[in-house]
């Protein structure tokens, strides 16, 4: 049931996004579109409640409960950015809006971009870590929390990878910029 609910939340996110953008641009009702987009956190709340109820009813914690926590974390950390990205793309491609900002090719601007990206992914992972830890405390040490711990380790890897990427763009900005100037890597 939890996996189905995670999938339904993901589909619901994209449907709410499409509906919000349609109201904003096609129906020329930007407030109604924004109101529809503000309903998106309700999906995560429903998923959180369903996961807690499932654990409360004696379900053994497994990868599905971890997936729910990770999904909620990533929605918190990346959802707003995804909505802004989609809004800019739709405005530009279909309604004559300004072109969305491009990812900087290198230098300090690219390093700043990568640190912002690492911050969003790290926020997502930290929220997931907190939810997973809450589930571990809720279930207790005798409840077979191994799958939840496994998800926590994966979230630490997500944070680590994003920090390594951001640091690499900070320490080697000219090399990256020069590589981009030479053309695509082969």
């Amino acid at each position: 049931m939890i996996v189905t609910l995670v999938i339904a939340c993901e589909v619901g996110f994209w449907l709410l996004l499409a509906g919000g953008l349609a109201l904003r641009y096609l129906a020329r009702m930007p407030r109604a579109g924004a109101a529809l987009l503000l309903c998106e956190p309700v999906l995560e709340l429903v998923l959180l409640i369903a996961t807690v109820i499932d654990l409360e009813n004696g379900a053994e914690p497994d990868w599905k409960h971890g997936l729910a926590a990770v999904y909620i974390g990533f929605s918190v950390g990346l959802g707003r950015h995804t909505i802004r990205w989609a809004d800019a793309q739709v405005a530009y491609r279909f309604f004559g809006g300004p072109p969305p900002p491009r990812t900087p090719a290198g230098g300090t601007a690219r390093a700043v971009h990568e640190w912002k990206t690492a911050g969003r992914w790290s926020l997502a992972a930290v929220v997931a870590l907190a939810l997973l830890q809450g589930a571990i405390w809720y279930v207790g040490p005798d409840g077979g929390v191994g799958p939840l711990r496994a998800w926590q380790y994966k979230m630490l890897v997500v944070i680590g990878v994003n920090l390594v990427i951001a640091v690499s763009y900070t320490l080697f900005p000219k090399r990256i910029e020069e590589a981009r100037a030479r053309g695509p890597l082969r």
Side-chain angles (χ1 to χ4, degrees):
M1 172 182 107
I2 298 296
V3 173
T4 304
L5 197 52
V6 169
I7 293 169
C9 286
E10 181 66 12
V11 170
F13 171 81
W14 290 105
L15 289 175
L16 285 173
L17 179 58
L21 293 175
L23 282 173
R24 178 174 182 163
Y25 292 108
L26 295 175
R28 297 183 191 268
M29 299 170 63
R31 286 187 180 167
L36 188 60
L37 290 174
L38 288 174
C39 293
E40 195 276 328
V42 173
L43 297 172
E44 281 74 36
L45 185 60
V46 167
L47 180 59
L48 179 63
I49 291 169
T51 304
V52 169
I53 289 171
D54 193 42
L55 290 171
E56 188 175 284
N57 288 337
E60 186 74 22
D62 63 6
W63 67 271
K64 294 176 261 184
H65 299 99
L67 178 66
V70 169
Y71 177 80
I72 293 168
F74 280 64
S75 292
V76 169
L78 301 170
R80 184 174 156 198
H81 178 73
T82 303
I83 290 169
R84 285 185 174 177
W85 173 85
D87 183 40
Q89 294 295 323
V90 168
Y92 173 65
R93 295 181 187 273
F94 302 111
F95 297 98
R102 300 183 121 209
T103 302
T108 304
R110 180 60 184 251
V112 168
H113 169 79
E114 293 302 330
W115 279 106
K116 287 179 181 178
T117 301
R120 283 189 290 271
W121 281 92
S122 295
L123 173 62
V126 166
V127 169
L129 282 165
L131 290 172
L132 289 162
Q133 188 61 45
I136 289 168
W137 287 335
Y138 182 75
V139 172
D142 300 332
V145 295
L148 301 178
R149 290 266 183 232
W151 277 108
Q152 284 185 316
Y153 294 129
K154 291 174 185 169
M155 293 303 95
L156 292 174
V157 169
V158 167
I159 292 170
V161 166
N162 278 281
L163 291 178
V164 166
I165 291 170
V167 166
S168 71
Y169 276 93
T170 302
L171 295 178
F172 307 109
K174 291 182 180 178
R175 292 183 182 168
I176 293 168
E177 191 171 17
E178 291 168 2
R180 292 260 173 122
R182 282 185 254 147
L185 299 176
R186 294 175 196 191

